[in-house]
Amino acid sequence: MKINIYYGGRGLINDPTLYVINKMQEVLEELRVTVMRYNLYEMKNSIATVPQTLKDADGIILASTVEWHGIGGYMHQFLDSCWLYGDKEKISRIYMCPVVMSTTYGEREGKLDMSVAWEILGGLPCSGICGYIADTVNLEMSKDLTRLIEKTAENMYRTVSQKICSFPASNQVIKQMVSVTKNIDLTPQESEQLSQYVSDEHYVQRQKEDIQELTNLFRGMLENPDSQEDNNYLESFRNHFRPSPGIRAMYRFHIEEKDKPFILEVNGPQLNCYYGNTTRADVEIKVNGKTMNDIMSARMSFQRAFMSGNMKMKGDFKLLRALDQIFIFED
């Protein structure tokens, strides 16, 4: 059995949450549980990649401290990353025990907040622990409170080892009804790769600088579009079209250097491409001319352009990946 501890406090010496999770870790290790500890304040520049550590965990402890209002930013960032990049199928099998100690008001609300967040992610709940601790010394000297902490760790061990079930939560149903977050159809491997890109600040900054440079370079071309280049786009897509059964989609490309969108209508073996507009589109793509030229020159694929940040899209991600199947640009 493996249990991960994610500590969302600031690592202060007198933080009562540290004492609680240290004691719980001792108990779990005595029960021959493999325990991994992640201090989020030490990983603040790479929190987007932390959900990858959930892969082989049977249970987790989310621990945070309420110092003035709420559970703190590091824990919120971690939960946000789980929502955006975490493997929801894996999360649905992980038990979570919340630990919230407070030096002010709000420990119960903080515990409830983390429990609800984990249930919305699809995870399994464990009974946690919360409390108001004005002085950590009093916590360390209290045998009754220490025993309560140990009991909480033992209960978590039994819950995870016996895979105790729980009643369905209503917030799962509400999430399906009102959630406005659009799921992008990514495999766990693609989600992991995307989270690595997001967490790399130097990579993101470099992409922004490249996009700005290209925008300045081609801005003047917007007023004088090159009709010959327009014809090259149309001819290139027509010549490299390889029909694939069952693929029917409307693609609208917003090329930064062009006044009008570039439209691709794919209906099985039929292709219609032109410059203009359409009332509907299954996939909206925003890209610059350099990236389009790289794609047509086989130096880059559509999916690679999206994953590298050179292309932005909105719509069905499966249809975006289909572009690399039906348009084969060869050297």
Side-chain angles (χ1 to χ4, degrees), residues 255-298:
I255 304 174
E256 292 181 2
E257 295 79 13
K258 306 298 179 184
D259 291 328
K260 295 182 180 180
F262 178 56
I263 308 298
L264 291 178
E265 294 182 10
V266 180
N267 188 6
Q270 299 178 353
L271 171 66
N272 185 21
C273 53
Y274 57 91
Y275 285 91
N277 214 327
T278 179
T279 56
R280 66 171 187 85
D282 301 302
V283 179
E284 295 267 0
I285 296 174
K286 186 175 182 181
V287 67
N288 58 53
K290 180 179 182 301
T291 301
M292 284 291 288
N293 291 332
D294 287 342
I295 292 173
M296 292 189 297
S297 302

Side-chain angles (χ1 to χ4, degrees), residues 221 224-236 258 275 293 296:
M221 298 175 62
N224 301 294
D226 189 343
S227 59
Q228 181 62 40
E229 185 179 12
D230 293 350
N231 293 331
N232 290 340
Y233 280 5
L234 297 173
E235 183 179 354
S236 181
K258 306 298 179 184
Y275 285 91
N293 291 332
M296 292 189 297

Side-chain angles (χ1 to χ4, degrees), residues 12-23:
L12 302 178
I13 296 176
N14 61 344
D15 188 344
T17 305
L18 287 175
Y19 175 79
V20 174
I21 58 179
N22 287 338
K23 183 60 65 176

Side-chain angles (χ1 to χ4, degrees), residues 14-238:
N14 61 344
D15 188 344
T17 305
L18 287 175
Y19 175 79
V20 174
I21 58 179
N22 287 338
K23 183 60 65 176
M24 293 182 71
Q25 182 171 349
E26 291 178 9
V27 173
L28 292 171
E29 289 176 344
E30 289 176 0
L31 295 170
R32 298 184 179 180
V33 175
T34 301
V35 180
M36 291 295 296
R37 177 89 156 265
Y38 298 92
N39 295 322
L40 299 181
Y41 68 90
E42 296 176 347
M43 312 170 71
K44 57 186 178 181
N45 293 327
S46 59
I47 287 182
T49 63
V50 178
Q52 299 172 31
T53 61
L54 296 169
K55 289 180 179 179
D56 54 354
D58 300 295
I60 66 171
I61 297 173
L62 296 184
S64 189
T65 307
V66 177
E67 296 186 69
W68 75 281
H69 180 73
I71 57 176
Y74 296 135
M75 184 58 67
H76 276 296
Q77 289 181 52
F78 170 69
L79 292 170
D80 285 346
S81 298
C82 289
W83 174 256
L84 295 172
Y85 312 116
D87 184 348
K88 304 299 193 304
E89 182 179 352
K90 176 59 181 176
I91 290 175
S92 67
R93 299 190 294 269
I94 299 177
Y95 289 86
M96 190 279 289
C97 175
V99 173
V100 179
M101 295 292 112
S102 172
T103 57
T104 180
Y105 174 80
E107 70 281 355
R108 294 183 183 275
E109 291 78 1
K111 176 175 173 287
L112 177 62
D113 190 23
M114 289 200 296
S115 297
V116 170
W118 192 250
E119 288 181 342
I120 291 177
L121 286 167
L124 302 169
C126 281
S127 59
I129 186 171
C130 66
Y132 167 73
I133 304 297
D135 190 343
T136 306
V137 176
N138 295 334
L139 174 61
E140 297 173 355
M141 298 298 294
S142 174
K143 294 182 179 180
D144 292 336
L145 293 178
T146 299
R147 183 56 185 160
L148 181 60
I149 296 170
E150 294 171 348
K151 280 290 185 182
T152 302
E154 293 169 1
N155 289 338
M156 181 183 184
Y157 173 80
R158 282 191 288 270
T159 300
V160 176
S161 61
Q162 298 175 16
K163 298 188 182 300
I164 297 176
C165 66
S166 59
F167 280 101
S170 61
N171 50 30
Q172 278 290 312
V173 180
I174 297 298
K175 180 195 74 172
Q176 297 171 5
M177 295 173 59
V178 304
S179 175
V180 296
T181 302
K182 295 184 178 180
N183 291 326
I184 300 177
D185 187 13
L186 297 176
T187 65
Q189 291 78 14
E190 291 170 337
S191 296
E192 179 176 327
Q193 184 180 11
L194 183 58
S195 67
Q196 291 173 342
Y197 284 134
V198 171
S199 65
D200 189 342
E201 293 182 353
H202 296 291
Y203 177 85
V204 174
Q205 183 61 32
R206 187 170 64 253
Q207 292 299 312
K208 290 181 178 179
E209 292 173 356
D210 290 345
I211 291 173
Q212 183 62 41
E213 181 180 351
L214 290 170
T215 300
N216 295 334
L217 180 63
F218 294 105
R219 183 172 293 166
M221 298 175 62
L222 288 172
E223 299 178 357
N224 301 294
D226 189 343
S227 59
Q228 181 62 40
E229 185 179 12
D230 293 350
N231 293 331
N232 290 340
Y233 280 5
L234 297 173
E235 183 179 354
S236 181
F237 275 86
R238 288 168 181 159

